[in-house]
C-alpha cells in the first residue's frame, strides 16, 4: 500500500447510522473502498470474505461487543491493523484491547481525516497488498533463516516436503510457522501447483454445524478440505479445533476421505495436511480439551521453530530486512539500537520485530534509529539496561538471549514483570478463557487464578 490511502479498503463495524454513514462518505471521497457492517455478526461475515487494509471497530455493538469480536477474529486477520473506536468512558476497554493486539484507538467523535491518517501510518503493514507480495518473497527466500537452527530446520523441511506425511509445526506465536508451512508447500514438487488452503481453527464459526460445513462442505457446496484438492491444507492453531471436529479430522487423517454434510458418498482427499500450534498440546491432552489419538496422529513429524531470542544472527538480518522494507534505505540502525534489539526477549517474535521496525521507520526523528526508537515505552532505567549487547559464546555459536530486563531491578521484580506480561499475553491469546490459558501455561486453573490475584491481574 502506498502512503496515499486511495485504493485501500476499510471495514467499518459501527452501529450508529449517522456516524457510520458520515465515515463511509468521507472515506469514499478519498478513494478508499469501504465495507460497513452495523452488527458484530455482519462484521464477522464481511471479514471472513475480505481482507482489508484496516479494520475500524466500535466497542459496543447491538449483538455483542467489539472486544470479543476482535479477539476472535485477530488470528485470522493476521497483521491487518485494527483501530478501536471508543465512546466516552470506553478508554479502559480500548487500552485492554491494545494490550491484546489491537493497533490503535480513536475517541469518538473524530473526523474521518483521522482514519485517513491512520491508513497512511499503517501503509506497508501486513495488511497491504504490497506486504502480501513481500510475504510471498519471504516464503521463497525467507530472510532470517541463516542461523544454525534455521539451517537445520530448512534441511528437515526439504526432506519431508515431497512426502505425503502430516507435519506439525510447533513454536511460539509469531515465530514464522505460517511462513514455514508455505515454504513446505513451495518445496512439495507437483503439489506446489495445487492450492495452499489456510484454515485458522481459532476463527472457525462458533456454531459447530457451520464450522463443520465450512471445513467439510454441505450438499453441493465444497468445504475447505475439498478446496485444497491435491495441494496443502494448513490447519493453523489446531489446538483450537472444537472437540466434535477433532473427531472428524482424525477420521480424515486415517481414512483420507470424508463426508460432506447431507451427502452419503464419501469424498477422497489427496491434500497434504500441515498443522501448527503455539499451545502445549500435551497439556491440552492432559486436561481433556485435545484428543490424545489426534495429537498422536498429528505429531509424528513435529518441526519446532526456535524463538527469535535464540537466533541473534537471524534477528540482525531480519531487522535490516524490515528496515529496508519500511524505510526503503532511508534509515539505518545505530549501535545502541542494535544492542537493544539483541537484548530484548521478543515475546512476540518476528511479528513483534516487524511491528517495532515499522513503527520506528515511520516515527523516528533522526535517520539513525536508536534504542528509544524501537522501545519508546521504556523509561530511562530500561534504556541503560538495553545498551548491554548479546555476547556470542566461546565457540562462536549463538548463545540464546534470555533477558533484556532492567539490570537495576531486583530478580523478584524482573520475574514478576515477566510473569505478569506472559500471563496477560496468554490470556489475550486464549480470548480470556482461564481454562485454556491455564493449559497453555501448564498450571491448574486454581493456580492461575491465584497468580493473577497476586500479580493484580484481571481478565476484564
Ligand atoms: N522470514 C521472514 N521474513 C519476513 N517476514 C516474516 C518471516 N517470518 C515471519 N514473518 C512475518 O512475521 C509475522 C508472523 O509470522 P507467522 O504468521 O508465520 O508466525 P506464526 O508462528 O504462524 O504466528 P502465530 O502462531 O501467531 O500464527 C507475519 O507477518 C510474517 O509475514
Amino acid at each position: 500500500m502506498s502512503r496515499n490511502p486511495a485504493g485501500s479498503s476499510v471495514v467499518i463495524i459501527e452501529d450508529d447510522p449517522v456516524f457510520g454513514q458520515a465515515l463511509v462518505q468521507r472515506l469514499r471521497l478519498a478513494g478508499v473502498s469501504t465495507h460497513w457492517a452495523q452488527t458484530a455478526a455482519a462484521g464477522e461475515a464481511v471479514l471472513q470474505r475480505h481482507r482489508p487494509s484496516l479494520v475500524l471497530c466500535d466497542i459496543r455493538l447491538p449483538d455483542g461487543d467489539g472486544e470479543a469480536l476482535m479477539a476472535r477474529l485477530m488470528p485470522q486477520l493476521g497483521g491487518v491493523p485494527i483501530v478501536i473506536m471508543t465512546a466516552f468512558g470506553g478508554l479502559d476497554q480500548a487500552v485492554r484491547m491494545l494490550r491484546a493486539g489491537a493497533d490503535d484507538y480513536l475517541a469518538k467523535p473524530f473526523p474521518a481525516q483521522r482514519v485517513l491518517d491512520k491508513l497512511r501510518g499503517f501503509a506497508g503493514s501486513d495488511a497491504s497488498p504490497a506486504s502480501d507480495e513481500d510475504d510471498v518473497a519471504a516464503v521463497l527466500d525467507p530472510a532470517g533463516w541463516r542461523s544454525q537452527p534455521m539451517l537445520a530446520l530448512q534441511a528437515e523441511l526439504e526432506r519431508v516436503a515431497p512426502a505425503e506425511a502430516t507435519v506439525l509445526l510447533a513454536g511460539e506465536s509469531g515465530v514464522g510457522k505460517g511462513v514455514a508451512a508455505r515454504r513446505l508447500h513451495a518445496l512439495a514438487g507437483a503439489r506446489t501447483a495445487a492450492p495452499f488452503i489456510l484454515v485458522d481453527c481459532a476463527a472457525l464459526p462458533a456454531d459447530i454445524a457451520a464450522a463443520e460445513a465450512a471445513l467439510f462442505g454441505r450438499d453441493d457446496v465444497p468445504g475447505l478440505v475439498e478446496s485444497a484438492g491435491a495441494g496443502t491444507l494448513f490447519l493453523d492453531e489446531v489446538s483450537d479445533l472444537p472437540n466434535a471436529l477433532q473427531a472428524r479430522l482424525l477420521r480424515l487423517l486415517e481414512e483420507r476421505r470424508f463426508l460432506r454434510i447431507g451427502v452419503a458418498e464419501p469424498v477422497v482427499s489427496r491434500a497434504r495436511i500441515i498443522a501448527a500450534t503455539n499451545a502445549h498440546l500435551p497439556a491440552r491432552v492432559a486436561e481433556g480439551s485435545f484428543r490424545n489419538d489426534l495429537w498422536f496422529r498429528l505429531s509424528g513429524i513435529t518441526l519446532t521453530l526456535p524463538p527469535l531470542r535464540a537466533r541473534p544472527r537471524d534477528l540482525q538480518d531480519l531487522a535490516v530486512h524490515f528496515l529496508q522494507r519500511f524505510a526503503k534505505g532511508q534509515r539505518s540502525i545505530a549501535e545502541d539500537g542494535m544492542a537493544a534489539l539483541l537484548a530484548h526477549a521478543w515475546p512476540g517474535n518476528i511479528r513483534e520485530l516487524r511491528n517495532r521496525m515499522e513503527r520506528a521507520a515511520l516515527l523516528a526523528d533522526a535517520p539513525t534509529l536508536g534504542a528509544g526508537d524501537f522501545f519508546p515505552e521504556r523509561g530511562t532505567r530500561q534504556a541503560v539496561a538495553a545498551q548491554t549487547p548479546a555476547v556470542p559464546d566461546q565457540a562462536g555459536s549463538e548463545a540464546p538471549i534470555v533477558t533484556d530486563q532492567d539490570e537495576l531491578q531486583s530478580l523478584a521484580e524482573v520475574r514478576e514483570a515477566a510473569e505478569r506480561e506472559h500471563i496477560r499475553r496468554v490470556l489475550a491469546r486464549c480470548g480470556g478463557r482461564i481454562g485454556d490459558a491455564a493449559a497453555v501455561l501448564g498450571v491448574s486453573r486454581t493456580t492461575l487464578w491465584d497468580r493473577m490475584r497476586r500479580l493484580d491481574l484481571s481478565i476484564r
Side-chain angles (χ1 to χ4, degrees), residues 126 135 138 142-145 171-179 236-237 278 318 321-322 325 350-351 354 429:
D126 273 357
D135 281 349
W145 279 48
E172 293 178 13
S173 177
V175 86
K177 298 184 293 296
V179 171
D236 202 4
E237 307 298 348
N278 52 39
L318 279 162
H321 165 84
F322 286 128
R325 176 160 152 197
I350 300 177
R351 181 176 292 114
R354 183 202 159 288
R429 187 81 210 181

Side-chain angles (χ1 to χ4, degrees), residues 297-382:
R297 189 87 207 181
L298 284 175
S299 59
I301 301 176
T302 301
L303 304 180
T304 303
L305 279 85
L308 192 55
R309 62 184 164 278
R311 301 157 49 192
R313 174 188 182 153
D314 293 343
L315 168 54
Q316 296 184 58
D317 287 353
L318 279 162
V320 171
H321 165 84
F322 286 128
L323 198 63
Q324 177 56 31
R325 176 160 152 197
F326 296 125
K328 307 275 182 274
Q330 303 298 304
R331 293 189 189 273
S332 57
I333 305 176
E335 214 172 301
D336 80 303
M338 190 55 94
L341 292 175
L342 284 166
H344 186 55
W346 299 107
N349 290 292
I350 300 177
R351 181 176 292 114
E352 181 186 351
L353 175 65
R354 183 202 159 288
N355 291 345
R356 287 192 184 274
M357 297 307 296
E358 180 179 19
R359 201 157 291 179
L362 276 173
L363 301 177
D365 296 324
T368 307
L369 307 178
D373 296 313
F374 300 125
F375 302 98
E377 73 277 19
R378 288 183 185 169
T380 323
R381 291 201 314 157
Q382 279 90 343

